Amino acid sequence: MEWFDVTQVMKKEQVRILVTDEAKARMLSDIQTRYSINAAARGLAFSKDTDIFTTLAAGSAGSDAAGTAWNAASGADPARNIATTIGTILNNTVAMDSDVSSIVIFYPMRLYGFLKKPIEIGQMYQSIARFVEAEYQIGFIPTRQLTTSSLVVMKSDETAMHVTYTGSSVPTAEQDRLAGVGDEYILTQYFKTFIVPEAEGGSTNNRIRTITGVYA
């Protein structure tokens, strides 16, 4: 088996939380701290999601057009579009049909209501999301990171990796006193998502594909 080197550099994200002396004097420091920490946590999580989805989208090996948007009043066929893309992934990789259950489909958050709407499938009423999850045993997850396309990803060590810094050389949480202002807390994280290339110098992976035009 031949190997080749892949070099990556982690991204640094940092947020600062300030608890002012005035908040302490008003006995509001607990509320200010709690709200600030929650906002900081959401911000860091969103940064990681952005890094992950940007990398996966760039690493997509190809795309399949939905034809009709999934939110259209008629003519939409999400199940067929998904089946086409899954078939392409299986055809272009060494993955087996048993690996289909490791596939995750990410779709725009604003499609959530449309994909949860009951429709008639085989003389039964169920949502597209429930049908796909039941028939293919795959994840169907909404995200704010996508707007008009859906991302189909087969989870595998051969698809992509997300690495984080867990060492002790760089402090990930620090506290400092700002004279005349208050207490400042600094939270630092290092992370990076990267595609596992299928060939030296490559940047895409056939276990990732895009379905375009799912929202209009």
Side-chain angles (χ1 to χ4, degrees), residues 162-177:
H162 180 77
V163 296
T164 58
Y165 176 76
T166 58
S168 58
S169 298
V170 178
T172 55
E174 301 175 82
Q175 179 181 359
D176 192 22
R177 168 68 189 171

Side-chain angles (χ1 to χ4, degrees), residues 112-134:
Y112 180 83
F114 293 97
L115 296 179
K116 289 292 184 179
K117 182 177 65 174
I119 62 173
E120 187 175 2
I121 302 178
Q123 298 182 337
M124 294 181 61
Y125 281 89
Q126 60 179 315
S127 68
I128 286 293
R130 184 178 295 276
F131 171 77
V132 170
E133 290 171 342

Side-chain angles (χ1 to χ4, degrees), residues 18 21-22 37 62 74 84 89 95-97 99 105 129 134 192:
L18 178 64
D21 294 335
E22 289 77 9
I37 289 177
S74 62
T84 298
I89 290 176
M96 306 299 291
D97 57 345
D99 296 317
I105 299 176
K192 178 64 178 177

Side-chain angles (χ1 to χ4, degrees), residues 17-49:
I17 298 172
L18 178 64
V19 180
T20 63
D21 294 335
E22 289 77 9
K24 297 177 185 177
R26 297 187 180 104
M27 301 181 68
L28 296 174
S29 60
D30 289 346
I31 294 177
Q32 189 177 75
T33 301
R34 185 169 66 253
Y35 274 63
S36 297
I37 289 177
N38 287 340
R42 288 198 302 269
L44 289 172
F46 191 82
S47 293
K48 286 185 177 181
D49 282 349

Side-chain angles (χ1 to χ4, degrees), residues 106-112 142-143 146-150 214-215:
F106 300 98
Y107 63 91
M109 179 67 75
R110 52 189 176 180
L111 276 176
Y112 180 83
T143 176
L146 299 172
T147 54
T148 61
S149 298
S150 178
V214 299
Y215 186 91

